[in-house]
Amino acid sequence: QVQLVESGGGLVQAGGSLRLSCVVSGATFRFYGMGWFRQAPGKEREFVAAITRTGPTTSNADSVKGRFTISRDDAKNTVYLQMNSLKPEDTAVYYCAAKSFLGLSRSGQAAAYDYWGQGTQVTVST
C-alpha cells in the first residue's frame, strides 16, 4: 500500500548536476524519515543521505558531503536529492527508502527502513 517512486535519473557528464525526486503515497509522509541509498554494479548497497521527520536534521555519507543535498517537502510528500559536481564513481542505481519515526542513529542502515522505491539509474560519463 505504501509506495515510493523515484524519478530524475539519467545520463550526465562529470561535473554536472541532477535532482532526484521520490514521491511517497499510501502513508502520512510527515511521520517518516527518509533516506537515499545507491548500488553500483558489483558493489554493496551504500548509504548516501538521510533526513529526519522533525527538525529536520540531515546526514550525508562522507563520499558526497559538499556535493549532495537532501531535502523534503511535506506538502508534496516528496524527498529530493540534489546532486552537484557529479563524478563517474557516483554512477549507480539510486533508491529512496522510508521509515516511520526514523532515528538519526539508524538512518545510515538499510535494514532500518520499511519501504523502498524501485530505483532510478544515474550514469555519470567522463
Side-chain angles (χ1 to χ4, degrees):
Q1 190 170 7
V2 178
Q3 294 189 73
L4 285 65
V5 180
E6 303 98 331
S7 62
L11 175 65
V12 64
Q13 289 187 329
S17 298
L18 288 172
R19 188 177 76 159
L20 306 183
S21 299
C22 174
V23 179
V24 179
S25 62
T28 305
F29 182 72
R30 63 185 175 89
F31 291 162
Y32 284 77
M34 304 295 300
W36 286 98
F37 292 77
R38 66 187 182 186
Q39 188 165 20
K43 294 186 177 181
E44 300 284 326
R45 186 167 296 187
E46 177 188 22
F47 170 72
V48 177
I51 186 165
T52 63
R53 71 179 188 91
T54 56
T57 57
T58 62
S59 179
N60 295 323
D62 289 342
S63 60
V64 305
K65 284 182 179 178
R67 300 189 298 121
F68 292 7
T69 303
I70 188 170
S71 61
R72 65 188 295 155
D73 186 341
D74 288 352
K76 297 182 181 294
N77 282 21
T78 302
V79 63
Y80 303 96
L81 185 67
Q82 179 66 48
M83 309 164 64
N84 298 327
S85 302
L86 283 161
K87 304 175 180 179
E89 50 263 45
D90 295 319
T91 295
V93 177
Y94 283 71
Y95 297 92
C96 177
K99 169 64 178 179
S100 60
F101 303 98
L102 179 71
L104 188 62
S105 65
R106 300 287 186 178
S107 62
Q109 302 174 12
Y113 293 82
D114 295 319
Y115 305 103
W116 293 83
Q118 82 289 345
T120 185
Q121 176 70 47
V122 172
T123 302
V124 184
S125 66
T126 57

